[in-house]
Amino acid sequence: MKKSIPIEEGDYYLTPEGYRCFTEQYHLKRGYCCESGCRHCPYGYNKSTNSIKR
């Protein structure tokens, strides 16, 4: 089971469409790449090539 991470101020913002967009701060706190092609992925994941740039 994955560890639940509490959401804090600065972990996300709302897009103009009303979606929650997680920030780099949140992704680093989580500690791994989910390989979903997140907008602020600090791990360098590329959804089109399905690879992580190291």
Side-chain angles (χ1 to χ4, degrees):
M1 177 185 274
K2 294 182 180 176
K3 183 179 158 189
S4 178
I5 299 171
I7 303 288
E8 298 173 351
E9 186 175 335
D11 283 348
Y12 73 92
Y13 62 90
L14 295 177
T15 66
E17 297 82 18
Y19 294 106
R20 203 181 283 175
C21 185
F22 290 104
T23 61
E24 182 177 354
Q25 169 186 312
Y26 175 78
H27 292 293
L28 290 171
K29 189 171 26 171
R30 185 176 59 193
Y32 65 92
C33 180
C34 63
E35 298 181 355
S36 294
C38 301
R39 185 178 292 174
H40 301 289
C41 180
Y43 302 104
Y45 179 74
N46 184 331
K47 197 170 186 174
S48 63
T49 62
N50 196 28
S51 63
I52 296 177
K53 188 190 326 182
R54 303 237 177 209

